[in-house]
């Protein structure tokens, strides 16, 4: 992404970032190897599911201008996650009172 933005000589737009992501090579490694790779490089990979957001955060870290809106960071959670289910239940609890008002 840095190379593509340097070549373009202006910030990449979201479609360009996603096109680069979609054309990128993919490798699969164990969690231990993934952590070791990130540690040896000194930076973590950009999350493909949050590519635009992570790229904007990296651009800010690198001091690239202009500072573009990163939008929301998405977090994917399993329906079996107990913390997620507790949050949903807590959010739904006061709905009956709200609706009766």
């Amino acid at each position: 992404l840095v190379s593509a933005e340097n070549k373009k000589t202006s910030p990449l737009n979201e479609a360009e970032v996603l096109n680069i992501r979609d054309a990128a090579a993919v490798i699969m490694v164990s969690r231990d190897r993934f952590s070791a790779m990130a540690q040896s490089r000194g930076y973590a990979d950009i999350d493909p599911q949050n590519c635009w957001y992570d790229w904007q955060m990296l651009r800010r870290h690198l001091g690239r201008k202009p500072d573009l809106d990163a939008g929301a960071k998405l977090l994917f959670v399993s329906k079996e996650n107990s913390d997620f289910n507790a949050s949903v239940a807590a959010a739904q609890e006061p709905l009956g009172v709200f609706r009766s008002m």
Side-chain angles (χ1 to χ4, degrees):
L1 293 171
V2 170
S3 177
E5 191 167 275
N6 288 345
K7 185 176 180 180
K8 183 181 175 189
T9 68
S10 64
L12 299 171
N13 62 43
E14 187 171 2
E16 291 167 324
V17 169
L18 297 180
N19 284 336
I20 291 168
R21 175 203 61 191
D22 293 344
V26 176
I27 62 170
M28 293 182 67
V29 296
S30 68
R31 276 191 203 275
D32 292 340
R33 182 71 183 125
F34 174 77
S35 298
M37 286 171 54
Q39 195 169 24
S40 71
R41 286 190 314 243
Y43 62 89
D45 286 327
I46 288 178
D47 177 359
Q49 294 177 319
N50 285 297
C51 190
W52 177 250
Y53 177 89
D54 283 0
W55 170 236
Q56 296 316 308
M57 294 299 100
L58 178 58
R59 286 184 82 253
R60 287 178 187 170
H61 177 75
L62 296 173
R64 290 184 169 250
K65 302 293 180 195
D67 190 5
L68 302 178
D69 181 14
K73 181 171 183 169
L74 304 175
L75 178 61
F76 297 89
V77 180
S78 168
K79 289 181 181 179
E80 288 80 36
N81 183 294
S82 60
D83 291 335
F84 171 75
N85 290 325
S87 294
V88 170
Q92 290 175 339
E93 190 174 313
L95 286 178
V97 174
F98 175 74
R99 288 182 180 135
S100 68
M101 294 170 75

